[in-house]
Amino acid sequence: MHRTSVRDRNEIDTQTLEINFGPQHPSTHGVFRMHVVLDGETIVSLKPVFGYLHRNHEQIAENITYLASMPYTDRLDYLNAMTNNFGYALAVEKLASIEVPERAQYLRVIMAELTRLVNHMALIGFLLNDLGAFFTPVLYAFREREKILDLFEEISGSRMMCNYFRFGGVKRDVSDGQLAEIQKLVEAFPRFLDEFEALLAKNEILCMRCQNVGVLSPALAVNASLTGPVLRASGVSYDLRKVDRYSLYDRFDFRIPLGAKGDTYDRYYVRVLEMHESVKILRQALRGLPAGDTMNKKMLPFLKAPRNFKPPVGDAYGRIESPKGELGYYVVSDGSPQPWRYHVRAPSLINVTVLEDLCVGHKIADAIIILGSIDIVLGEVDR
Amino acid sequence: MPLLAEEVKSRIETAEPGIAMKVFRNSILLEKPEDLLRAAAFLKSAPDFRMDYLASVTAVDYLKYLESVYHLYSIEKKTGPVVLRVRVPRKDPRIPSLVGLYRGAELQERENYDLFGIVYEGHPDLRRLFLWETFEGHPLRKDYVQEDSEVLEAADIEWLDRHGISSPKEVRQHALELRKQGKRAVAEKDGKEGA
């Protein structure tokens, strides 16, 4: 223990206290440990400790075929299986120069945006949970999330571990009935968002706890490679859907919500606004969905015989705007059926870089909501 | 908007003479690891590049050498990537750390140190990221072999004896044989069946 004497001020000898916050603490959103030094209730230093969920995902992928890694990517950020698939498919398609039919591209965008809704709802629900609004907001959010997961189950076969994307397309087509259901859900969604917002956005406790807590400057956010809503809440306009225009995102009209201050409240509210933008994209995608193939014909044989799929020697870095930030896959091929190297650039892990900077000087209770607003999923952090 | 590696290379050459590099797969391969800091600092500050965002730091084991790969983008100009590569020998690999320039490298360099054993010189807190401090070896190196936790080795038998725990005769004999041959209990690599 570090002794810091304040005897000259008030005759009381105080000392700092070191505690292990986690790994089995409910508000760490998984098995995540923070080594915290406290002065009273104020945080003096905070060191994150990783690895409780480490399974060497990257080495597993290097020992199996390219396609066999697809279900493993579901388990990275287990709330957003669809976007994890998307990033991996994009990287391998870049590596092997595979074209994707238009209908499949549209379906990919629809799934990715539905996933963004799922993620942001879960995040806001759990953030409120951390603030002490025990499970009521989560259940409101999960009621809507469940409708989307039911759709995912109908379309891909699984609620959360979707495994829906394939190199050169998607696994199954979506029927007209399912499209009508998505349409219904998308039309009803803004009403839920407004209801959710009316209950929360101006709530006094939420404002008091979140405003001016954990302020992140734009300069630090860029320097520390933060991405996604955390970066945009600090007022930096950088969204890969606009910058890279991957897939078909150049066809849709949407805006990038930005925060003004970069505090926890901005990080919360940017996500609410992003959900409105996702609904806009979904409406346009559903309107424009063309008929046609959902798989590149040339890639069909590889579905049954994945060991025959051998991308040319080379490497590729594919990245997408996942709900948590830049999800990148770096794949190196040596011309064999297995990737020579497979690396995941996990937004959850890299966004934790600034956790200490945000928390020092705040109370221990604020560290919980700051961590909640950064939005990590340990499956992706530890890999 | 992708940048051409040739162009970037000639710009670095004129601004920072003396950096040996060549173009490899539309990326810049720095021939000496020491030059990495200079090249990255130039790309970050030069007004027509402004590579202010280090997206990804990763490493690859190519058996003859280890390679560290950096993907730089510009948030200000919305351009990129500029890919930098550095090659170091597998024995005692050392690369200057980029944490001073980009905080974003902090956890990623720790990850590479953990899984590949590359020492990033100048990193403020170079510890293993996922595995524990006493872990032996670096699992993402191609020559890494996983030990078989089911098979006992001679050291395990000694430990059991010290604690008065009996062990079957065959297990004992197998452990002694392993020691005689100078081998460790290595897990069999699963076949190439993965589908």
Side-chain angles (χ1 to χ4, degrees):
Chain A
M1 288 201 187
H2 312 283
R3 280 178 168 268
T4 49
S5 171
V6 288
R7 198 174 289 237
D8 48 350
R9 260 196 283 138
N10 50 12
E11 300 280 314
I12 301 169
D13 194 16
T14 66
Q15 57 189 23
T16 55
L17 179 67
E18 284 179 50
I19 58 164
N20 273 317
F21 191 94
Q24 278 96 358
H25 193 282
S27 64
T28 55
H29 301 268
V31 274
F32 177 63
R33 178 155 72 93
M34 294 183 273
H35 180 255
V36 193
V37 178
L38 292 175
D39 179 11
E41 271 197 63
T42 310
I43 295 169
V44 179
S45 107
L46 183 152
K47 296 270 176 255
V49 181
F50 308 93
Y52 291 93
L53 222 55
H54 181 60
R55 54 211 182 270
N56 221 340
H57 173 72
E58 294 175 6
Q59 200 193 42
I60 295 173
E62 283 164 22
N63 289 318
I64 53 179
T65 58
Y66 284 86
L67 187 59
S69 295
M70 192 62 90
Y72 279 106
T73 63
D74 291 340
R75 279 122 181 114
L76 282 170
D77 175 354
Y78 40 78
L79 292 175
N80 308 322
M82 290 286 195
T83 47
N84 295 345
N85 289 177
F86 199 168
Y88 182 47
L90 213 69
V92 175
E93 280 155 11
K94 206 168 151 189
L95 182 68
S97 317
I98 302 163
E99 296 279 313
V100 182
E102 208 183 348
R103 185 177 172 85
Q105 296 270 30
Y106 267 92
L107 290 177
R108 284 176 171 198
V109 170
I110 291 171
M111 295 310 156
E113 293 310 316
L114 284 174
T115 305
R116 203 177 308 279
L117 296 180
V118 168
N119 178 73
H120 288 356
M121 270 189 295
L123 169 98
I124 293 170
F126 282 116
L127 183 67
L128 267 292
N129 222 15
D130 295 343
L131 280 168
F134 201 61
F135 268 103
T136 308
V138 177
L139 289 177
Y140 270 72
F142 270 40
R143 185 188 64 197
E144 298 302 308
R145 174 178 178 262
E146 208 57 31
K147 290 175 191 164
I148 297 176
L149 293 191
D150 281 349
L151 271 169
F152 281 174
E153 183 173 19
E154 211 175 306
I155 292 164
S156 74
S158 178
R159 291 166 73 244
M160 289 170 78
M161 304 294 125
C162 299
N163 186 16
Y164 182 59
F165 288 50
R166 291 290 177 269
F167 309 131
V170 292
K171 188 167 70 176
R172 280 178 61 197
D173 200 357
V174 174
S175 72
D176 288 344
Q178 285 160 344
L179 280 176
E181 267 179 64
I182 300 177
Q183 186 81 47
K184 216 169 85 187
L185 189 142
V186 169
E187 290 312 321
F189 202 80
R191 239 188 102 190
F192 158 73
L193 276 180
D194 290 342
E195 180 196 19
F196 211 45
E197 207 179 319
L199 290 171
L200 297 177
K202 285 184 185 149
N203 180 298
E204 200 179 337
I205 300 172
L206 183 89
C207 291
M208 295 271 284
R209 288 291 308 279
C210 292
Q211 282 172 352
N212 298 319
V213 169
V215 178
L216 177 63
S217 72
L220 177 63
V222 171
N223 194 249
S225 302
L226 299 204
T227 41
V230 183
L231 176 71
R232 293 191 286 274
S234 291
V236 182
S237 172
Y238 194 71
D239 188 317
L240 301 187
R241 291 174 293 175
K242 288 276 191 199
V243 176
D244 280 9
R245 296 169 167 271
Y246 61 91
S247 194
L248 293 179
Y249 277 108
D250 49 346
R251 294 197 191 177
F252 305 119
D253 172 37
F254 64 101
R255 294 184 305 151
I256 307 172
L258 295 178
K261 266 195 206 154
D263 57 3
T264 306
Y265 190 82
D266 278 354
R267 287 195 280 277
Y268 149 73
Y269 206 68
V270 156
R271 283 167 172 120
V272 174
L273 296 175
E274 267 189 19
M275 284 199 273
H276 284 286
E277 298 303 314
S278 289
V279 169
K280 255 163 82 181
I281 298 173
L282 278 167
R283 280 198 184 126
Q284 294 168 52
L286 286 167
R287 212 183 308 132
L289 182 69
D293 289 334
T294 53
M295 267 298 282
N296 185 337
K297 286 267 185 317
K298 281 184 208 151
M299 292 303 293
L300 280 173
F302 298 122
L303 290 184
K304 294 232 167 101
R307 286 200 66 78
N308 291 346
F309 179 59
K310 295 169 190 166
V313 178
D315 59 353
Y317 180 68
R319 55 177 200 162
I320 62 154
E321 184 70 32
S322 92
K324 294 193 164 53
E326 174 180 333
L327 176 65
Y329 288 83
Y330 180 68
V331 188
V332 180
S333 167
D334 63 341
S336 74
Q338 291 135 330
W340 180 258
R341 173 84 174 104
Y342 162 96
H343 171 71
V344 185
R345 186 255 186 232
S348 290
L349 171 71
I350 294 161
N351 288 357
V352 176
T353 310
V354 294
L355 186 63
E356 184 175 13
D357 304 63
L358 296 186
C359 289
V360 167
H362 287 295
K363 301 270 184 270
I364 184 89
D366 294 333
I368 292 167
I369 54 167
I370 291 169
L371 179 69
S373 74
I374 287 178
D375 191 10
I376 59 167
V377 160
L378 270 295
E380 189 178 71
V381 172
D382 287 344
R383 279 167 292 135
Chain B
M1 192 170 65
L3 294 166
L4 280 175
E6 298 280 355
E7 223 169 90
V8 180
K9 180 178 166 252
S10 64
R11 288 280 287 109
I12 299 176
E13 266 166 358
T14 47
E16 295 276 335
I19 298 182
M21 60 193 146
K22 56 185 178 198
V23 171
F24 174 72
R25 285 184 196 154
N26 200 26
S27 65
I28 294 164
L29 174 63
L30 297 166
E31 288 179 10
K32 277 182 275 170
E34 308 87 89
D35 293 336
L36 177 68
L37 268 177
R38 264 171 77 201
F42 167 72
L43 288 171
K44 192 184 173 189
S45 58
D48 46 346
F49 288 118
R50 303 289 293 153
M51 291 291 152
D52 46 7
Y53 166 45
L54 177 64
S56 157
V57 182
T58 185
V60 189
D61 182 358
Y62 284 109
L63 297 178
K64 285 181 190 142
Y65 49 84
L66 295 172
E67 186 179 276
S68 198
V69 190
Y70 301 81
H71 285 77
L72 295 164
Y73 288 85
S74 171
I75 288 186
E76 196 180 305
K77 299 183 102 73
K78 309 269 188 289
T79 52
V82 169
V83 185
L84 299 178
R85 290 168 199 266
V86 177
R87 288 178 181 170
V88 281
R90 301 180 90 235
K91 212 174 153 191
D92 191 29
R94 286 172 185 278
I95 298 176
S97 166
L98 283 188
V99 176
L101 277 174
Y102 303 98
R103 272 284 302 280
E106 193 179 321
L107 295 177
Q108 304 188 67
E109 286 183 349
R110 271 180 68 189
E111 183 184 339
N112 291 347
Y113 167 69
D114 187 356
L115 304 176
F116 284 95
I118 298 176
V119 175
Y120 288 89
E121 287 178 315
H123 191 289
D125 184 23
L126 197 63
R127 284 178 293 135
R128 282 185 182 269
L129 184 70
F130 295 135
L131 303 166
W132 50 101
E133 282 301 312
T134 52
F135 189 88
E136 277 175 37
H138 304 284
L140 277 180
R141 286 206 184 188
K142 293 286 174 186
D143 57 357
Y144 174 80
V145 275
Q146 201 180 342
E147 72 173 290
D148 192 343
S149 52
E150 311 262 307
V151 177
L152 295 185
E153 294 177 348
D156 301 322
I157 301 284
E158 280 163 16
W159 187 90
L160 290 174
D161 288 346
R162 258 206 317 280
H163 290 80
I165 304 165
S166 65
S167 46
K169 214 175 183 181
E170 310 87 76
V171 173
R172 230 164 229 283
Q173 228 150 30
H174 184 69
L176 285 177
E177 255 167 52
L178 275 178
R179 173 172 274 183
K180 222 182 269 170
Q181 294 165 4
K183 279 186 192 163
R184 296 203 62 190
V186 165
E188 272 182 37
K189 240 186 164 184
D190 29 321
K192 300 249 173 188
E193 78 283 348

